[in-house]
Amino acid sequence: MKILKTLALVLTTITASSCKKVKNETPSENVSEEKIGFKKQEEMNILFVLTSHDKLGETGKKTGFWVEEFANPYYTLLDKGATITIATPKGGAAPIDPSSDSPDAATEDTERFNNDAEAKEKIANTKVLSAMNPDDFDGVFYPGGHGPLWDLANDRISIALIEKFNSQAKPIAFVCHAPAALKGVKNTNGTPLVKGKKVTGFTNSEEAAVGLTDIVPFLVEDMLNANGGIYSKKDDWAAYAIQDGNLITGQNPASSELVAEKLLQSLK
């Protein structure tokens, strides 16, 4: 009987010790899962494609990319641990639209960019677009500015790159004039990529408001409609972005944050 009591006591002690061990391991497992999730977020690799074009038609004025449309998405993604590569058709310095670098166009994000030596160094030394492999990235983002209307809209490397990202069902995001880059992009069946998809972009009335309707090679709103896109918009200068599958588009500079948020959500 004494032996049986002793044996029972030993078994009880072992069971209690095992339960304690399980309880102690559970929080560690949760922490480990959280760390794994954070690590995945840190490993986001995003390609930013900017224009190389700096001439505003025959006006003698300069254009390029719009700083706010780059800066907000850049910091939104960077602050979440993304690795961002910046490329242009020609490589080297990406031209900044002077109008976007004025006090009137300043935002918290443009101020941050102006004081960010590392970001400015990246803009001054962009990669050559033809050297970029979509397989190396989780998504692509195109900021606007009038420049893309002249180069990215017709750039065969950019067109092929977007088509590859799309075929891989990776997020492809554009804001303001950047949907111009979708002009020649096709689906695998040869139809325009935007055909039958909900899209937005810089409106005809917004282009008229900045006095460039007769200067630009085409109007973003007209092109998206002509290619079969289900185009929608809000009031001029109102923030508006729409997502249809992996395609994300924003109406104007004020829409940059909404596009960035949708892109980030698509990458999770």
Side-chain angles (χ1 to χ4, degrees):
M1 186 64 72
K2 223 174 194 183
I3 293 171
L4 288 173
K5 284 183 178 179
T6 302
L7 184 58
L9 181 61
V10 169
L11 288 172
T12 301
T13 303
I14 291 171
T15 302
S17 176
S18 298
C19 290
K20 186 177 180 181
K21 187 176 181 182
V22 170
K23 287 178 182 177
N24 286 340
E25 286 179 350
T26 302
S28 298
E29 289 168 1
N30 290 339
V31 170
S32 178
E33 287 172 2
E34 287 173 6
K35 285 182 178 177
I36 290 170
F38 184 68
K39 185 177 180 183
K40 285 179 181 176
Q41 197 174 55
E42 283 185 325
E43 291 173 350
M44 291 185 296
N45 289 307
I46 314 300
L47 177 64
F48 274 42
V49 180
L50 278 62
T51 182
S52 287
H53 188 86
D54 67 350
K55 295 179 181 177
L56 190 61
E58 302 301 320
T59 65
K61 296 179 180 179
K62 293 292 186 180
T63 188
F65 75 90
W66 199 264
V67 178
E68 165 62 9
E69 295 169 24
F70 162 80
N72 182 279
Y74 178 79
Y75 292 117
T76 295
L77 294 162
L78 189 72
D79 291 346
K80 292 297 183 180
T83 297
I84 298 172
T85 300
I86 304 172
T88 56
K90 295 180 180 178
I96 294 175
D97 189 311
S99 298
S100 73
D101 200 26
S102 66
D104 289 344
T107 66
E108 184 178 330
D109 293 302
T110 62
E111 290 296 328
R112 181 175 173 182
F113 171 71
N114 286 332
N115 292 293
D116 187 341
E118 184 177 348
K120 295 182 89 170
E121 179 70 14
K122 287 182 180 180
I123 290 296
N125 297 279
T126 67
K127 307 291 185 183
V128 179
L129 190 59
S130 60
M132 299 297 100
N133 183 352
D135 294 339
D136 296 334
F137 302 97
D138 302 306
V140 65
F141 171 70
Y142 282 65
H146 283 87
L149 294 166
W150 277 274
D151 63 352
L152 293 173
N154 307 299
D155 188 278
R156 61 181 183 81
I157 300 297
S158 174
I159 290 169
L161 182 140
I162 296 170
E163 289 176 344
K164 183 68 178 293
F165 271 102
N166 186 58
S167 70
Q168 295 174 333
K170 293 176 179 176
I172 50 177
F174 310 81
V175 68
C176 198
H177 286 89
L182 294 166
K183 183 172 179 281
V185 179
K186 307 291 185 184
N187 284 304
T188 53
N189 62 5
T191 60
L193 184 144
V194 301
K195 186 176 182 180
K197 291 188 176 180
K198 297 174 182 177
V199 290
T200 190
F202 205 61
T203 69
N204 289 354
S205 53
E206 286 170 331
E207 200 69 83
V210 297
L212 295 174
T213 300
D214 297 326
I215 303 299
V216 294
F218 63 91
L219 298 172
V220 173
E221 179 180 342
D222 285 354
M223 180 275 292
L224 291 172
N225 280 318
N227 279 1
I230 304 171
Y231 182 86
S232 61
K233 58 186 175 181
K234 287 195 174 181
D235 292 340
D236 288 358
W237 317 117
Y240 179 56
I242 191 165
Q243 181 169 1
D244 192 331
N246 63 320
L247 175 62
I248 303 165
T249 49
Q251 180 176 319
N252 49 37
S255 310
S256 301
E257 184 173 2
L258 295 178
V259 171
E261 288 172 352
K262 289 181 181 296
L263 176 55
L264 183 61
Q265 189 62 37
S266 296
L267 291 164
K268 288 183 178 179

